[in-house]
């Protein structure tokens, strides 16, 4: 197992460097000059000032030289310097990362638990009205645009009913500490995490339902029924566990996609995570921040994939690490 993990980490490092290199060229190929943006906002867009800005931030060097400098920094976990925020990118992302991890973890748990539960219930009542109702509701959540669902959630639960806070990470000026602060953050988390989680919940529901229906037709399940085992026992021990392999695979892939979905969610709910940081950096042409967020997001996806491979052995001991 240790050899398997070490080999996967080496492969992940190579993939990560390739992703960073590709992102570097794609971002620099996009229209817009960060030096021109900064000069325009400073009210001095003459050529001398532009050249000074480019020299200050290393934008006057050849593109391959800039890439080499950036890759050398990435190897040392130095993601460069933010032109606009006037602080190191790694520090800027580190300040925002806990909020994003909190949001994506909560959304992941909501989507996986509710989706799996709904899939199990639907498979147990296949062909009945409850199966149709669960499938329809799940499809409705999946088909609804994420930003529209987020806006409607704010209008309903925050503006109209005044049940939950609609924006921010915690109450501004609340100065809460201890458990009171935890409770305040949890209240602000409910709407964004639920909105993001319900969007992905439909996928787990459909996958769980289809997988359980497929497993229920296999020979070992028929044998268990012929032996007179209780339906609930067959459902839990024989069908559910074997049906979870495709769900675990999907969960590992979509755990990284939640970071992408968090961009819209964090923007609508003013959640101070790296998704909103990336959105602001894109508007400001802050290349180093964009590259830093892409690097962290790619690293998280690769990490989730490695964890998924390890979990395979827990779910199905028949699978070998090789």
């Amino acid at each position: 197992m240790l050899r398997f993990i070490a080999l996967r980490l080496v492969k992940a490092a190579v993939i990560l460097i390739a992703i960073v290199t590709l992102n570097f060229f794609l971002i620099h190929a996009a229209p817009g000059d960060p030096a021109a943006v900064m000069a325009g906002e400073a009210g001095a867009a003459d050529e001398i000032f532009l050249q000074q800005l480019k020299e200050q931030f290393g934008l006057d060097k050849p593109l391959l030289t800039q890439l080499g400098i950036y890759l050398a920094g990435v190897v040392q976990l130095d993601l460069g310097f933010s032109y606009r925020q006037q602080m190191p990118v790694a520090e800027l992302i580190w300040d925002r990362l806990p909020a994003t991890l909190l949001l994506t973890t909560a959304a992941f748990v909501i989507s996986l638990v509710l989706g799996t539960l709904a899939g199990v219930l639907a498979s147990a009542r296949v062909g009945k009205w409850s199966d149709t109702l669960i499938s329809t509701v799940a499809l409705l959540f999946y088909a609804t645009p994420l930003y529209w669902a987020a806006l409607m959630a704010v209008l309903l639960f925050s503006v109209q009913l005044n049940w939950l806070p609609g924006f921010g990470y915690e109450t501004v000026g609340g100065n809460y500490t201890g458990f009171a602060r935890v409770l305040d953050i949890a209240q602000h988390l409910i709407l964004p995490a639920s909105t993001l989680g319900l969007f992905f919940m439909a996928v787990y529901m459909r996958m769980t339902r289809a997988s359980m229906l497929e497993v229920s037709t296999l020979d070992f399940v028929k044998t268990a029924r012929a032996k007179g085992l209780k339906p609930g026992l067959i459902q839990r021990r024989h069908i559910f566990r074997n049906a979870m392999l495709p769900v675990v695979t999907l969960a590992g892939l979509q755990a990284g996609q939640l970071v992408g979905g968090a961009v819209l969610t964090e923007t609508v709910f003013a959640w101070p995570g790296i998704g909103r940081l990336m959105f602001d950096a894109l508007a400001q042409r802050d290349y180093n921040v964009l590259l830093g967020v892409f690097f962290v997001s790619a690293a998280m996806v690769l990490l989730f994939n490695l964890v998924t491979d390890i979990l395979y052995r827990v779910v199905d001991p028949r699978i070998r690490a090789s």
Side-chain angles (χ1 to χ4, degrees):
M1 176 61 75
L2 291 178
R3 182 176 179 275
F4 167 75
I5 295 176
L7 185 60
R8 287 299 303 270
L9 287 175
V10 172
K11 291 181 179 178
V14 174
I15 294 173
L16 197 56
I17 293 297
I19 291 174
V20 169
T21 303
L22 179 61
N23 286 335
F24 184 90
F25 285 119
L26 288 177
I27 286 179
H28 282 78
D33 186 351
V37 174
M38 287 185 289
E41 292 185 354
D46 57 277
E47 286 296 328
I48 296 178
F49 186 60
L50 280 174
Q51 187 61 32
Q52 290 176 345
L53 286 175
K54 290 181 178 180
E55 292 176 359
Q56 179 182 353
F57 296 109
L59 299 174
D60 59 327
K61 296 181 174 60
L63 192 58
L64 290 178
T65 303
Q66 293 183 47
L67 174 61
I69 295 173
Y70 185 75
L71 289 178
V74 167
V75 172
Q76 304 173 45
L77 297 181
D78 178 8
L79 302 180
F81 192 80
S82 171
Y83 315 129
R84 304 302 304 275
Q85 305 295 332
Q86 292 297 304
M87 61 186 300
V89 173
E91 182 180 340
L92 190 61
I93 293 177
W94 183 253
D95 290 340
R96 300 286 193 99
L97 188 59
T100 294
L101 290 178
L102 177 62
L103 174 60
T104 53
T105 301
F108 179 74
V109 172
I110 290 173
S111 62
L112 185 58
V113 172
L114 292 183
T116 303
L117 180 61
V120 171
L121 294 176
S123 66
R125 294 164 175 79
V126 61
K128 299 180 180 179
W129 67 268
S130 53
D131 175 30
T132 304
L133 178 63
I134 293 173
S135 300
T136 302
V137 172
L139 183 60
L140 180 64
F141 281 125
Y142 185 74
T144 303
L146 188 58
Y147 67 89
W148 187 87
L151 290 173
M152 291 303 102
V154 171
L155 289 175
L156 177 60
F157 295 104
S158 181
V159 178
Q160 294 293 332
L161 300 176
N162 197 26
W163 287 355
L164 296 167
F167 304 101
Y169 182 75
E170 55 186 321
T171 303
V172 178
N175 297 323
Y176 296 115
T177 58
F179 182 74
R181 183 169 184 261
V182 172
L183 186 61
D184 183 49
I185 294 175
Q187 289 177 339
H188 284 78
L189 178 66
I190 291 175
L191 282 184
S194 299
T195 303
L196 186 58
L198 289 175
F199 177 80
F200 288 95
M201 179 268 293
V203 181
Y204 295 120
M205 177 268 160
R206 299 293 297 180
M207 177 63 74
T208 304
R209 180 182 180 274
S211 184
M212 291 196 68
L213 290 177
E214 181 182 359
V215 173
S216 65
T217 62
L218 298 180
D219 292 338
F220 71 92
V221 177
K222 295 178 181 178
T223 302
R225 291 195 183 109
K227 289 181 178 180
L229 295 180
K230 295 181 180 180
L233 185 63
I234 296 174
Q235 194 83 354
R236 291 192 307 271
R237 290 190 178 181
H238 297 273
I239 299 179
F240 180 74
R241 185 172 182 179
N242 288 279
M244 282 299 99
L245 279 177
V247 179
V248 170
T249 303
L250 185 64
L253 294 174
Q254 289 201 329
Q257 294 180 7
L258 281 169
V259 178
V263 175
L264 289 174
T265 309
E266 290 181 2
T267 302
V268 173
F269 290 100
W271 189 264
I274 62 173
R276 191 178 179 198
L277 176 66
M278 180 174 66
F279 180 81
D280 294 338
L282 180 62
Q284 298 167 352
R285 300 294 191 275
D286 200 340
Y287 288 165
N288 284 341
V289 174
L290 280 174
L291 286 171
V293 174
F294 291 158
F295 171 81
V296 172
S297 301
M300 290 173 63
V301 172
L302 292 171
L303 178 62
F304 288 141
N305 287 338
L306 176 60
V307 172
T308 302
D309 289 339
I310 296 174
L311 284 177
Y312 256 75
R313 295 197 69 186
V314 178
V315 178
D316 189 353
R318 297 171 300 176
I319 297 177
R320 296 176 177 271
S322 59

